[in-house]
Each structure stands twice: as C-alpha cells, then as structure tokens.
Amino acid sequence: MVRNYSVRTDLALEEKERFESDNVEIPGVILEENYDEERELRITRVEIETENGARAMGKPVGTYLTLETPNLALPDEECCQEIAAELCRCIRELIEGSGCRIGEDFSVLVVGLGNREVTPDALGPYVADHLNVTRHIVREYGKYAMGMEHANMVSAIVPGVMGQTGMETAEIVKGIVQETHPDVVIAVDALAARNSRRLNRTVQIASTGIHPGSGVGNHRTAMTEESLGIPVIGIGVPTVVDAATIVNDTMENFIRALENAESLRNVGEVLKSYTAGEKYELVRELISPHLNGMFVTPKDVDELIHHISHTISEALNMLFVNRVQEQGA
C-alpha cells in the first residue's frame, strides 16, 4: 500500500517520530528531550550527525531544536517574556555553535520570509516589523550612539515571494549579504506540520538554514550556509496542515471508537494493525484528487500570528539589542 510515504512536514522532530512509530531506528540521528512541567514547556533536540541519517530523515545534517508549549500564542506579557527568553537561549546556542560570537560588534540580517497578504504565511514579515533594527544608527552615528561599547548591528528585510517579485528569495538575500556583509542570517518562516496539535504552539530553530515554501509544496532555492556563504539559522512555526493530516487524525479517533464498539471491534483491530505510513497513504488515496492540495489553518490565525511574531521578535531583540544595552548600562 505504501509506495512513497511522504508526510508533509517541515519539523525534524515529526520525521523522527514517524520512524519511531514504525519501530525503525535511524543510525546517526539522536533525539534528546527536556520537559518543564511547571511551565508546560518541552524542548527537543534532534541531531542529524551522518549523511545516511540525513537521507533517511530527508533533512540536512545539523541541529534542530524544537520548543513546544500551549502558551506560545497566549496574549500574556509575562508568559511571552518567559518563552522569548527560552527561544533566545536556543538561538544563541545555534549561532555560537556555528562559530560566531555575539557581542563583539556582531552583525545579523533577519529575513522575514513569506507573503504578508496571506495571514498563515505572514509570520516572517510580522517578526521583521517588530524588530529593533540598529545597523543604520551604528553606521550613521557610531556605536556610542546606542549607549554601548559593543553595538550589534541588526538589519531586516522582507523580500516577498516570487509571485510578487519575479525573483527567488535566495537571490535577493544573497545580493544583500554580498553588499552588507552580516556575520549570520536568521530566516523566519511559516512551516507545515504533520500533527495538527502542533499548530501555532511549536517553534523549530535549525542550524541548517531554511527552504522557503517547502511546507506547502512550493520548492524554492534553499537559504543555507552553502548558498549564502555565511551561517544561516532557520526559525519556523507550523501554521498549516494539509487535508490528509486532518483526515488522518480523525481516522485515529475513529479507530479508537471502533475498538470500543463490540460489533465493530474486529474492523478497528484491522485498521489499528496498519503502520502510520499505511494509514496516511490510505487517507491520501481516499481523499484524492480534490483535497490533496488543500491546506488548513485555525480560524483565529490572525490573532495567533500576531502574538507569536511578537514573541519571536522579542527573543531576537533580547539577544541582539536589549542584552547589549543592559551590559553597557
């Protein structure tokens, strides 16, 4: 039944979980998990260490940190600050792991990927809107105009999408990198998830860069250290799932209901014996062809994206601007 089992997800954690659900161990891939019960905050590290592991996972070799919390989009300032501080720590870890050192006249370019006119895809542009950009001030008036000895230079760009510009996003960013010479690029984008429960409550930070549009099947040129010449940190939040995922989640609940029904228990046991891949492929065949290209997002996505973008931008401001100001005070 399963010919090309390919779950539509951008999350390395979900790829690893897929293999675990089929009882398959992947050599060269390590998963570590840390859960803070009091704050309802889970951080999972997926390390892809070998090329064989990368091929099995469908992800490049590198580190993927996934932060999960039901409070990510909560309109609570104290909660936002706590999550932002944790994101700040994760981003710093991957930047310093790439060989860069923050705080020594560091320069960063933040790229807000996505289409501002499509709310589930507007996360990147909204994050860029909330950033404290400083490069122009430092270049015009010097670092002491920022009130500090070492001023990080933060710049931001919202390059739009190919349908608006006629250019690959990677082409635009590469030109900016060659002209402005940042130490690192941070690309923020909306992602697709396999599990609907992860929508708007999960942040993935990856040391491997980002592939714009991959979550919805629009495969654009990747933004990586190989293509841009400097380290690229990808930050993404799943804001959509495909129709097959919704139906597949419903099917799981249906199977549990069948197992509880005396007359239909045998049917439930047969369906339960299928692997996750077999179930997903069955669903795709049943809903094809009309629903295979459909993606779904929560009805309150406007408010969710607003709160999440504020939290991510706060983490970046905390790392590159606020922290240095505190040191210089």
Side-chain angles (χ1 to χ4, degrees):
M1 178 181 292
V2 181
R3 293 180 298 275
N4 293 301
Y5 173 36
S6 178
V7 178
R8 185 60 59 79
T9 179
D10 291 316
L11 301 177
L13 172 60
E14 291 189 333
E15 288 288 357
K16 185 70 169 67
E17 288 175 342
R18 174 168 69 89
F19 285 99
E20 290 180 346
S21 68
D22 293 337
N23 297 314
V24 176
E25 186 66 33
I26 314 173
V29 179
I30 299 173
L31 185 146
E32 298 175 356
E33 185 178 285
N34 181 35
Y35 181 58
D36 186 329
E37 186 174 356
E38 182 178 347
R39 294 189 294 168
E40 294 184 278
L41 194 149
R42 185 186 311 275
I43 296 180
T44 309
R45 172 190 294 270
V46 176
E47 292 272 5
I48 303 179
E49 298 181 325
T50 65
E51 290 298 333
N52 287 337
R55 281 192 292 271
M57 292 278 289
K59 306 285 183 187
V61 172
T63 302
Y64 301 80
L65 301 178
T66 306
L67 182 149
E68 298 177 84
T69 173
N71 304 322
L72 181 61
L74 211 62
D76 181 281
E77 189 62 30
E78 182 178 347
C79 190
C80 168
Q81 288 294 318
E82 284 187 2
I83 297 171
E86 204 61 48
L87 284 173
C88 175
R89 185 191 64 77
C90 293
I91 298 166
R92 170 202 286 280
E93 178 183 337
L94 293 193
I95 289 176
E96 294 183 347
S98 70
C100 297
R101 183 179 178 186
I102 302 173
E104 300 269 339
D105 300 325
F106 189 74
S107 177
V108 57
L109 170 63
V110 179
V111 182
L113 297 171
N115 187 344
R116 192 187 293 273
E117 307 303 319
V118 181
T119 304
D121 197 33
L123 177 70
Y126 285 3
V127 169
D129 289 346
H130 299 316
L131 280 177
N132 292 333
V133 292
T134 61
R135 182 176 182 271
H136 59 306
I137 298 175
V138 174
R139 285 174 58 83
E140 185 72 22
Y141 303 107
K143 58 189 178 182
Y144 294 106
M146 297 293 296
M148 60 194 75
E149 184 177 351
H150 297 290
N152 296 331
M153 291 193 292
V154 180
S155 54
I157 181 67
V158 179
V161 294
M162 181 176 278
Q164 298 169 326
T165 65
M167 294 177 285
E168 288 275 6
T169 300
E171 294 175 334
I172 299 173
V173 175
K174 187 173 184 179
I176 295 171
V177 167
Q178 291 174 347
E179 287 294 321
T180 62
H181 308 292
D183 295 301
V184 67
V185 166
I186 295 180
V188 185
D189 198 8
L191 307 179
R194 159 63 187 88
N195 192 323
S196 57
R197 291 190 296 274
R198 286 200 168 97
L199 283 183
N200 300 303
R201 55 187 293 168
T202 304
V203 184
Q204 175 177 272
I205 307 106
S207 65
T208 58
I210 210 157
H211 294 68
S214 62
V216 293
N218 298 328
H219 298 284
R220 303 264 65 91
T221 303
M223 291 171 52
T224 64
E225 184 170 1
E226 289 72 25
S227 64
L228 298 183
I230 59 173
V232 181
I233 306 298
I235 301 176
V237 175
T239 61
V240 297
V241 292
D242 67 354
T245 292
I246 298 293
V247 178
N248 189 58
D249 289 346
T250 304
M251 182 179 178
E252 293 289 346
N253 294 332
F254 179 59
I255 291 172
R256 283 193 288 270
L258 288 177
E259 290 178 313
N260 293 328
E262 188 68 33
S263 59
L264 298 174
R265 183 171 299 169
N266 291 337
V267 178
E269 290 177 352
V270 170
L271 291 174
K272 188 178 180 181
S273 68
Y274 288 7
T275 66
E278 289 171 333
K279 291 174 188 174
Y280 190 82
E281 193 63 27
L282 173 62
V283 167
R284 285 180 59 84
E285 290 177 3
L286 291 175
I287 70 172
S288 97
H290 304 294
L291 297 179
N292 275 341
M294 182 177 290
F295 288 84
V296 185
T297 195
K299 65 180 181 180
D300 56 346
V301 66
D302 301 74
E303 183 179 4
L304 295 173
I305 293 296
H306 171 77
H307 292 307
I308 295 170
S309 64
H310 176 71
T311 300
I312 294 175
S313 61
E314 184 63 23
L316 295 172
N317 290 334
M318 194 179 292
L319 179 58
F320 299 119
V321 182
N322 300 348
R323 167 186 163 274
V324 181
Q325 287 177 340
E326 290 171 2
Q327 286 183 341

